[in-house]
Amino acid sequence: MSEQSEFSLIQRYFERLTSPRDDVLLGIGDDCALLQCPADHVIAVSIDTLVEGVHFFADVSPETLGHKSLAVGLSDLAAMGATPAWFTLALSLPDVNELWLQGFSQGLAKLAQQHNIHLVGGDTTRGPLTISIQVHGFVKAEKALRRNGAKLGDMIYVTGTLGDAGVALQQKLNQWADDSLSDADNAFFQQRLEQPTPRNNIGQGLVDFATSAIDISDGLLADLGHILAKSKVGARLDLSKLPLSSSMAKIARKEVEQFALQSGDDYELCFTVPPHYVAEMEQQFQGLCTQIGIITDDDGLYCLNENDELIDLTGAETGYDHFK
Amino acid sequence: MSEQSEFSLIQRYFERLTSPRDDVLLGIGDDCALLQCPADHVIAVSIDTLVEGVHFFADVSPETLGHKSLAVGLSDLAAMGATPAWFTLALSLPDVNELWLQGFSQGLAKLAQQHNIHLVGGDTTRGPLTISIQVHGFVKAEKALRRNGAKLGDMIYVTGTLGDAGVALQQKLNQWADDSLSDADNAFFQQRLEQPTPRNNIGQGLVDFATSAIDISDGLLADLGHILAKSKVGARLDLSKLPLSSSMAKIARKEVEQFALQSGDDYELCFTVPPHYVAEMEQQFQGLCTQIGIITDDDGLYCLNENDELIDLTGAETGYDHFK
């Protein structure tokens, strides 16, 4: 389809907000965009949809929604080790609200500029507020970080801190509260939920070290579980090593573990590194990632408790399921 | 995002329905798909969204909806002269209806098989029924059929017949009726609306002849108007040459012209061919396309009436505007 008014909307609010790239031979405004893939690379693509009332609250600011809509896709590129290049935007809107469109496009564009990812096409339609973004990046085929490469003895790492977005989500749903948290703590948690930081610089660097990677959108246990299943290996986690924000550290330990292990939306990376690369990798990403466990030949996912007893975490995972 | 249940839905209903391709290094089930673009080609991409109640009626069968959802994207590739390769599917569903999913995926898969286009990724979420499909194809950069290449003296062609889908749409909206039409006529119109035939074989062949092309999703006048605006030329149409189906020919002439010129959803191609290629092109696509006019240096779009008077069609176009 090529409705003039739709292209006009995309053109008016979005086209000039991202910088041109030499590999975009033809951008918005024809039946298709024409894109040049660099030689010796393959294209990594991922599409994600955010629906109002399912993936975000109706009262979220359009700027943060614009940021998050692109961040989830960038995070998928990071988890593959791919360099961001282009994205498309399919936007359903109940009406044309200029203020909303300005805010949304600015939030989107700011993150896009940071990652040099260019809007190359789109479609806007009337409908319930729904945002689908497809991201495209480049990676060398043999270097891509798949989920199926983890090997016995690999160390398991995560970036950033875990569970912060989950705290904010439970607070928003009025399903959890902790009066000891300050306004600053709560603002931090909210920012982690609404404006996650995709870890593209780390992901792109990991192609030289990691045997597998995934982004933590459904919770550590669920997403690490995907690596274990695809790689046909097990894992043991050291719960005392889970990286926590200073705000998270104020919460009772039992709840902290639940947030850090099971809640989604953090958009941190979980990845595995063979022992001979550990030193070099840790030097390159000092302070940006934490070793939390090791790949085993166990049948599943375990941790040691304070009495050095093995606890089976398999089946305890289940993060967020949109059709539960 | 990488929700397990969502991938399971895509995997269960869609993954095996399209044939594998050698250029899909990694398909559904990781953070990204990994795709290999052939050397000497660029990638043509287009994303389109269909929303229930806006782009299709709630009572449409899931099979025909699956067909149409992919057909609109295939038509964009045809209009670019690109060979179909891969598609992604972002599907929002109010609930998991197995019968609906079976029908939708079968309609989608049947058309996908015909065009050797492979599903490489997707996202299913809970939400109002909304379907976004991004298609990807290959074309040589210098051969792609852009909108801006029409030149003075080029002949203007369209594929197939015009206006059929518009008749069905007006009937469905109860805004138009003609008692002289038979049930077979009405079934034909409905099929043209709900299951359009993307003209990929023609589009791919046109890269050797055409100077510009567009698919007619918004009506001939609106879409030819895009070519004229981008190419900075004018056009004169011969209304007596508009290709009509035998069912359409039963309708009063004045109404026929309105349908053929202004109604959308036909997904035929409109393209321009320089005089020195006309004979060869017409031989190759005999019976598949019709010459309807010529590119001029007029300032706009005109036709001659029965008294050989020039009628200005500029501004009479406006096809379907989703935000009108």
Side-chain angles (χ1 to χ4, degrees):
Chain A
M1 287 194 200
S2 56
E3 293 80 359
Q4 186 170 25
S5 61
E6 299 181 4
F7 273 119
S8 300
L9 260 190
I10 288 276
Q11 282 177 322
R12 185 156 16 122
Y13 289 99
F14 298 101
E15 189 179 17
R16 287 152 200 262
L17 290 177
T18 62
S19 302
R21 292 174 54 107
D22 290 344
D23 53 18
V24 180
L25 306 190
L26 185 62
I28 294 166
D30 211 305
D31 292 286
C32 294
L34 295 176
L35 309 169
Q36 178 84 54
C37 180
D40 303 329
H41 286 71
V42 295
I43 310 165
V45 305
S46 177
I47 189 164
D48 281 296
T49 301
L50 302 185
V51 180
E52 182 177 279
V54 180
H55 303 89
F56 59 91
F57 296 93
D59 64 356
V60 71
S61 90
E63 286 83 359
T64 60
L65 185 59
H67 173 103
K68 183 157 183 175
S69 300
L70 184 58
V72 298
L74 284 168
S75 182
D76 283 323
L77 292 177
M80 217 72 204
T83 304
W86 319 302
F87 71 102
T88 57
L89 167 66
L91 186 59
S92 290
L93 297 168
D95 49 45
V96 178
N97 177 329
E98 303 246 336
L99 260 182
W100 189 93
L101 277 162
Q102 274 171 21
F104 180 82
S105 60
Q106 280 165 12
L108 191 69
K110 193 174 166 193
L111 188 64
Q113 295 283 16
Q114 285 170 19
H115 293 272
N116 192 27
I117 189 167
H118 186 72
L119 180 67
V120 296
D123 189 17
T124 52
T125 56
R126 185 184 290 280
L129 184 54
T130 305
I131 304 146
S132 286
I133 285 186
Q134 176 159 326
V135 292
H136 312 67
F138 308 138
V139 66
K140 292 194 175 181
E142 70 281 8
K143 293 262 190 177
L145 303 174
R146 302 173 182 224
R147 296 179 180 178
N148 65 356
K151 296 276 185 301
L152 177 65
D154 286 356
M155 299 296 172
I156 303 168
Y157 286 84
V158 292
T159 60
T161 57
L162 297 177
D164 303 313
V167 172
L169 182 62
Q170 293 302 310
Q171 287 177 330
K172 286 284 282 185
L173 293 170
N174 290 319
Q175 293 182 346
W176 184 88
D178 184 335
D179 292 342
S180 71
L181 295 171
S182 68
D183 288 351
D185 293 325
N186 290 329
F188 165 77
F189 290 130
Q190 184 179 346
Q191 197 258 349
R192 289 277 287 159
L193 174 66
E194 295 185 352
Q195 294 193 277
T197 305
R199 302 301 186 184
N200 294 81
N201 287 343
I202 302 175
Q204 287 167 235
L206 286 176
V207 295
D208 292 326
F209 306 113
T211 50
S212 72
I214 193 169
D215 73 328
I216 307 176
S217 54
D218 296 339
L220 174 63
L221 295 187
D223 288 317
L224 176 55
H226 290 310
I227 287 182
L228 302 186
K230 290 265 183 183
S231 300
K232 300 188 172 65
V233 291
R236 289 190 199 181
L237 296 183
D238 184 342
L239 300 192
S240 69
K241 291 185 177 171
L242 295 175
L244 305 178
S245 63
S246 56
S247 297
M248 181 68 89
K250 297 179 181 176
I251 299 174
R253 180 70 204 181
K254 193 71 200 164
E255 293 178 318
V256 163
E257 284 182 6
Q258 203 167 346
F259 282 124
L261 293 174
Q262 295 182 10
S263 64
D265 285 308
D266 281 327
Y267 296 99
E268 298 295 346
L269 300 180
C270 175
F271 57 96
T272 57
V273 177
H276 60 278
Y277 278 142
V278 157
E280 195 181 347
M281 190 284 293
E282 288 202 352
Q283 188 175 30
Q284 184 165 335
F285 298 109
Q286 211 166 16
L288 300 175
C289 62
T290 308
Q291 194 243 317
I292 60 166
I294 188 166
I295 296 293
T296 66
D297 54 5
D298 294 342
D299 184 19
L301 181 52
Y302 295 86
C303 70
L304 290 174
N305 71 3
E306 52 270 30
N307 304 321
D308 269 358
E309 294 162 337
L310 216 51
I311 307 295
D312 188 354
L313 294 171
T314 323
E317 69 282 342
T318 49
Y320 185 60
D321 181 340
H322 292 297
F323 283 107
K324 224 170 16 181
Chain B
M1 285 195 201
S2 55
E3 292 79 0
Q4 186 170 25
S5 61
E6 299 182 4
F7 272 119
S8 301
L9 260 190
I10 288 276
Q11 281 176 323
R12 183 154 20 121
Y13 289 99
F14 298 101
E15 189 179 16
R16 286 151 202 261
L17 290 178
T18 62
S19 302
R21 292 174 55 107
D22 289 344
D23 53 18
V24 180
L25 306 189
L26 184 63
I28 294 166
D30 211 305
D31 292 287
C32 295
L34 295 177
L35 308 169
Q36 178 85 54
C37 181
D40 305 329
H41 286 71
V42 296
I43 310 165
V45 305
S46 177
I47 188 165
D48 282 296
T49 300
L50 302 185
V51 180
E52 183 178 278
V54 180
H55 303 88
F56 58 92
F57 296 93
D59 64 356
V60 71
S61 89
E63 286 84 359
T64 59
L65 185 59
H67 173 104
K68 183 157 183 175
S69 300
L70 183 59
V72 299
L74 284 168
S75 182
D76 283 323
L77 293 178
M80 218 71 203
T83 304
W86 318 303
F87 71 103
T88 56
L89 167 66
L91 187 58
S92 290
L93 297 169
D95 49 45
V96 177
N97 177 329
E98 304 246 336
L99 259 183
W100 189 93
L101 277 163
Q102 275 171 20
F104 180 82
S105 59
Q106 280 165 12
L108 192 69
K110 191 173 167 194
L111 188 64
Q113 295 283 17
Q114 285 170 20
H115 292 273
N116 191 27
I117 189 167
H118 185 70
L119 180 67
V120 296
D123 189 16
T124 52
T125 56
R126 186 185 291 279
L129 184 54
T130 306
I131 304 146
S132 286
I133 284 186
Q134 176 158 326
V135 292
H136 312 67
F138 309 137
V139 65
K140 293 194 174 181
E142 70 281 9
K143 292 261 190 178
L145 303 175
R146 303 174 181 224
R147 297 178 179 179
N148 66 356
K151 296 277 185 301
L152 178 64
D154 286 356
M155 299 297 171
I156 303 169
Y157 286 83
V158 292
T159 60
T161 58
L162 297 177
D164 303 313
V167 172
L169 182 63
Q170 293 302 311
Q171 287 177 329
K172 286 283 282 183
L173 293 169
N174 289 318
Q175 293 182 347
W176 185 87
D178 184 333
D179 292 343
S180 70
L181 294 171
S182 69
D183 287 351
D185 293 326
N186 291 329
F188 165 78
F189 290 130
Q190 185 178 347
Q191 197 257 350
R192 290 276 287 159
L193 175 65
E194 294 184 353
Q195 294 193 277
T197 305
R199 302 301 186 184
N200 294 80
N201 287 343
I202 303 176
Q204 287 168 236
L206 286 176
V207 295
D208 292 326
F209 307 113
T211 50
S212 73
I214 192 169
D215 73 326
I216 306 176
S217 55
D218 297 339
L220 174 63
L221 295 187
D223 288 317
L224 176 56
H226 291 309
I227 287 183
L228 302 186
K230 291 265 183 183
S231 301
K232 299 188 174 63
V233 291
R236 288 189 200 183
L237 296 183
D238 184 342
L239 299 192
S240 69
K241 291 186 178 169
L242 294 176
L244 304 178
S245 63
S246 56
S247 296
M248 181 68 90
K250 298 180 182 175
I251 298 173
R253 181 70 205 180
K254 194 70 200 165
E255 292 178 318
V256 164
E257 284 182 7
Q258 202 167 348
F259 282 124
L261 293 174
Q262 295 182 11
S263 64
D265 285 306
D266 281 326
Y267 295 99
E268 298 295 346
L269 300 180
C270 174
F271 57 96
T272 57
V273 177
H276 60 278
Y277 278 141
V278 157
E280 195 181 347
M281 190 284 294
E282 288 202 352
Q283 189 175 29
Q284 185 165 335
F285 298 110
Q286 212 165 14
L288 300 175
C289 62
T290 307
Q291 194 243 317
I292 60 166
I294 187 167
I295 296 293
T296 66
D297 53 5
D298 294 341
D299 183 20
L301 181 53
Y302 294 86
C303 71
L304 290 174
N305 70 5
E306 52 271 29
N307 304 321
D308 269 358
E309 294 162 335
L310 217 51
I311 307 295
D312 188 355
L313 294 171
T314 323
E317 70 284 341
T318 48
Y320 186 60
D321 180 342
H322 292 299
F323 284 107
K324 220 165 26 176

